[in-house]
């Protein structure tokens, strides 16, 4: 399942579903030493040349895949300050008319494009794309097999993700507990990751994309980005419009949306997806809910509130609180094919069993059956988002926003509030501006949006397609997160025709 943009929430220990991190650890701020002279533009260009001219050494890594690593500057404003490693995997084009490379990003932020292609090639792309392109997966800076963010071991991560607060949600004492947990996490990330933590922003990752384009031997970048990957792709198009080849952005993020608006829109999106699930569920024979959708929504809201106060103990001793249950609910809402499993989970929790809920939450958080975390997606997600958005952890403002969230999404909203607590004082802060992306001068870009996508709601696809100077919207009317290769032939044909043949739809095909 595509991890995508994570839903935004708060937890007793800064849940991985969040954009939260807090604290006042000023001692590990970004200014760690004496001021250095800033390299000139010419010096930067000269220093980048060895990176752009490197020769990749590919090796066989099984299942017909080839793997390699590329070197990139730690800091593009000062390429001589050190380098990082970027992990790549590719499936070489199977047809005789190879177009070039197609770089694929699965979302996140923090999702492994390497694993996405290695494990899910036929989910990420279809045979037509595999015939025409070398399909390339990569781990962005900070992620997975590339130079990666590191913070906690598995035991610490369990406490961070699943630990419970002692104070009542929303009180000053509760906020203080979250801030203390967030401080500890941020301190660990800074200590274990080092300077890389300050350069995992999306602009730097987009500059890596251009470097990868060059070392892969492509004059233009061909790109397929899902969810957060649409923001990464749009950022690239803004920075390098002349280098844009054929771009498809599926499950779009509106780059101009604030952190709070992201949270609110996602809360409404998941609330709507939950209603759609219940409509389908109640009409069937094996639904744990009876009566109306509104009645079932009330039951779910009461269930979340109940476990938040009186957690359910699982077989392994962990306690299921409101935030962990929210994660378990959100995870299967990403795709309608998982709704039957969601019914089973609800049935078990309603009968006092937390095991199925933890299986969903663990799957979402990358935790295996032995309690080990199989990737660093939580750390990378936090680090990237905390440097990509501005935050404000003023309690008065957060309480006003919490009321607005609850009004917009009465069931989901209360567990997605106070999201600014952590990132407001992350060791490396946002310094740019969240604004529209136009990519003036770029080639046409396809933007795919699903009408009831809970994680990247359809309105974002509409907004991004309008912002882009040559954006073309492809609408899929349906459920689930992202549409290409998982919806219908109308979407697939539009995407394949553009990527393979360069045919831009004359109008939205309304799939």
């Amino acid at each position: 399942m595509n991890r995508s943009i994570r839903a935004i929430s708060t937890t007793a220990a800064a849940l991985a579903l969040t954009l939260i991190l807090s604290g006042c650890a000023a001692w590990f701020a970004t200014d760690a030493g004496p001021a250095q002279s800033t390299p000139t533009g010419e010096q930067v260009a000269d220093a980048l040349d060895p990176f752009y001219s490197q020769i990749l050494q590919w090796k066989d890594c099984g299942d017909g895949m080839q793997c390699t690593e590329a070197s990139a500057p730690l800091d593009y404003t000062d390429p001589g300050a050190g380098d990082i490693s970027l992990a790549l995997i590719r499936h070489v084009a199977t047809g005789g008319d190879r177009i070039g490379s197609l770089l694929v990003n699965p979302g996140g932020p923090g999702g492994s494009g390497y694993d996405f292609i290695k494990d899910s090639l036929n989910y990420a792309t279809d045979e037509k794309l595999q015939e025409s392109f070398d399909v390339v997966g990569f781990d962005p800076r900070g992620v997975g097999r590339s130079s990666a963010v590191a913070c906690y071991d598995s035991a610490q991560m369990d406490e961070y993700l699943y630990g419970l607060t002692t104070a009542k949600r929303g009180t000053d004492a509760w906020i203080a507990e979250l801030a203390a947990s967030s401080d500890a996490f941020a301190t660990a990330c800074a200590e274990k990751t080092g300077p890389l933590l300050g350069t995992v922003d999306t602009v730097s990752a987009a500059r890596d994309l251009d470097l990868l384009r060059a070392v892969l031997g492509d004059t233009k970048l061909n790109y397929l980005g899902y969810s957060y990957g649409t923001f990464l792709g749009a950022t690239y198009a803004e920075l390098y419009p002349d280098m844009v080849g054929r771009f498809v952005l599926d499950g779009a993020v509106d780059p101009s949306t604030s952190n709070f608006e992201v949270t609110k829109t996602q809360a409404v999106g998941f609330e709507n997806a939950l209603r759609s699930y219940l409509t389908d569920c109640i009409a069937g024979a094996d639904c744990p809910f009876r009566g109306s959708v509104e009645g079932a929504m009330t039951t779910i809201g009461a269930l979340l509130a109940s476990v938040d106060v009186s957690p359910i103990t699982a077989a392994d001793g962990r306690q299921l609180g409101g935030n962990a249950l929210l994660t378990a609910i959100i995870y299967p809402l990403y795709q309608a094919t998982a709704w039957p499993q969601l019914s089973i989970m609800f049935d078990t929790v309603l009968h006092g069993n937390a095991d199925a809920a933890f299986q969903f939450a663990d799957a979402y958080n990358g935790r295996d059956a032995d309690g080990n975390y199989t990737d660093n997606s939580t750390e990378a997600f936090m680090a990237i988002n905390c440097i990509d958005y501005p935050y404000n952890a003023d309690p008065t403002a957060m309480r006003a926003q919490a009321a607005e969230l609850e009004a917009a999404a009465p069931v989901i909203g209360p567990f997605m509030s106070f999201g600014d607590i952590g990132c407001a004082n992350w060791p490396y802060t946002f310094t740019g501006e969240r604004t529209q992306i136009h990519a003036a001068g770029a080639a046409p870009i396809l933007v795919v949006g699903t009408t009831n996508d809970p994680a990247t709601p359809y309105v974002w696809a509409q907004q991004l397609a309008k912002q882009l100077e040559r954006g073309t919207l492809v609408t899929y009317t349906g459920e689930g997160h992202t549409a290409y290769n998982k919806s219908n032939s109308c979407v697939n044909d539009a995407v394949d025709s553009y990527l393979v043949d360069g045919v831009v739809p004359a109008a939205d095909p309304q799939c």
Side-chain angles (χ1 to χ4, degrees):
M1 182 176 292
N2 187 355
R3 186 176 295 270
S4 91
I5 271 197
R6 291 173 180 265
I8 302 164
S9 169
T10 54
T11 78
L15 178 64
L17 282 171
T18 72
L19 286 180
I20 62 175
L21 261 248
S22 183
C24 303
W27 60 269
F28 54 81
T30 57
D31 186 9
Q36 304 292 321
S37 60
T38 302
T40 66
E42 184 176 345
Q43 288 172 328
V44 168
D46 289 345
L48 286 175
D49 185 65
F51 293 101
Y52 270 75
S53 60
Q54 66 186 293
I55 305 299
L56 299 180
Q57 302 297 319
W58 295 93
K59 64 179 181 179
D60 178 80
C61 50
D63 298 324
M65 302 282 186
Q66 298 175 344
C67 306
T68 193
E69 292 184 352
S71 294
L74 172 68
D75 181 354
Y76 276 90
T77 66
D78 186 8
D83 57 77
I84 63 171
S85 175
L86 301 175
L88 295 89
I89 188 169
R90 73 178 176 186
H91 179 269
V92 176
T94 58
D97 297 321
R98 176 185 176 276
I99 296 172
S101 304
L102 176 69
L103 273 73
V104 181
N105 181 276
S112 170
Y114 186 110
D115 289 344
F116 192 45
I117 298 306
K118 179 177 183 292
D119 300 332
S120 307
L121 174 67
N122 293 325
Y123 184 81
T125 60
D126 66 8
E127 289 186 6
K128 291 182 180 179
L129 297 189
Q130 294 168 28
E131 289 174 358
S132 300
F133 292 96
D134 293 345
V135 179
V136 179
F138 62 99
D139 282 357
R141 57 175 55 219
V143 177
R145 291 175 174 83
S146 294
S147 296
V149 173
C151 305
Y152 273 170
D153 62 26
S154 292
Q156 292 170 316
M157 191 61 71
D158 267 356
E159 177 60 28
Y160 176 66
L161 295 177
Y162 299 116
L164 304 175
T165 52
T166 60
K168 182 180 178 181
R169 182 178 295 272
T171 63
D172 288 344
W174 180 80
I175 291 173
E177 286 189 59
L178 287 182
S181 173
S182 298
D183 284 353
F185 182 79
T187 300
C189 293
E191 289 178 344
K192 293 186 178 181
T193 305
L196 172 67
L197 194 65
T199 66
V200 295
D201 57 285
T202 296
V203 169
S204 295
R207 296 192 186 283
D208 289 338
L209 278 181
D210 195 60
L211 173 61
L212 295 180
R213 171 201 60 77
V215 299
L216 288 168
D218 295 303
T219 56
K220 302 277 187 177
L221 177 67
N222 302 307
Y223 180 81
L224 172 59
Y226 293 100
S227 196
Y228 160 80
T230 67
F231 178 47
L232 176 59
T235 301
Y236 178 90
E238 185 78 350
L239 291 173
Y240 304 99
D242 293 341
M243 296 293 103
V244 171
R246 297 171 186 175
F247 266 47
V248 174
L249 309 179
D250 185 2
V253 175
D254 178 0
S256 66
T257 302
S258 70
N259 173 51
F260 175 68
E261 287 301 321
V262 167
T263 305
K264 182 180 176 181
T265 306
Q266 283 193 322
V268 172
F270 281 110
E271 190 112 343
N272 289 339
L274 186 57
R275 289 179 181 275
S276 294
Y277 152 74
L278 288 170
T279 300
D280 179 78
C281 179
I282 291 171
D286 299 319
C287 186
F289 303 99
R290 293 290 182 266
S292 68
V293 169
E294 288 304 320
M297 291 290 286
T298 299
T299 299
I300 294 171
L303 180 63
L304 283 162
S306 174
V307 300
D308 200 45
V309 176
S310 301
I312 302 172
T313 303
D316 63 4
R318 288 184 293 167
Q319 291 188 301
L320 182 73
N323 296 296
L325 179 56
L326 177 67
T327 309
I329 293 170
I330 282 175
Y331 183 63
L333 289 177
Y334 274 82
Q335 297 296 337
T337 54
W339 286 357
Q341 287 71 41
L342 179 56
S343 291
I344 294 171
M345 190 275 290
F346 271 129
D347 186 57
T348 60
V349 175
L350 286 166
H351 286 87
N353 188 316
D355 293 349
F358 272 116
Q359 288 175 6
F360 274 150
D362 288 347
Y364 189 88
N365 290 321
R367 184 185 191 270
D368 66 21
D370 295 323
N372 299 311
Y373 287 82
T374 58
D375 57 41
N376 79 324
S377 57
T378 295
E379 292 98 327
F381 170 82
M382 297 299 296
I384 295 167
N385 270 319
C386 284
I387 204 170
D388 266 358
Y389 288 89
Y391 296 89
N392 177 12
D394 174 64
T396 301
M398 287 192 295
R399 287 192 171 100
Q401 290 176 343
E404 189 174 340
L405 280 174
E406 185 169 358
V411 175
I412 301 293
F415 293 86
M416 294 180 70
S417 55
F418 296 89
D420 281 25
I421 289 175
C423 289
N425 290 297
W426 187 251
Y428 296 91
T429 58
F430 177 77
T431 58
E433 181 182 2
R434 298 294 302 201
T435 186
Q436 294 185 0
I437 286 180
H438 303 294
I445 296 174
L446 255 61
V447 180
V448 183
T450 300
T451 55
N452 204 25
D453 184 329
T456 51
Y458 178 62
V459 64
W460 290 350
Q462 292 176 302
Q463 290 167 348
L464 179 60
K466 288 179 181 178
Q467 291 173 27
L468 292 168
E469 184 178 78
R470 300 184 69 186
T472 297
L473 182 64
V474 174
T475 298
Y476 168 58
T477 301
E479 304 288 336
H481 181 47
T482 74
Y484 174 66
N485 212 28
K486 59 188 72 67
S487 56
N488 61 27
S489 60
C490 175
V491 173
N492 292 353
D493 290 346
V495 171
D496 286 346
S497 294
Y498 176 60
L499 287 176
V500 175
D501 301 317
V503 177
V504 181
D508 185 347
Q510 295 288 336
C511 298

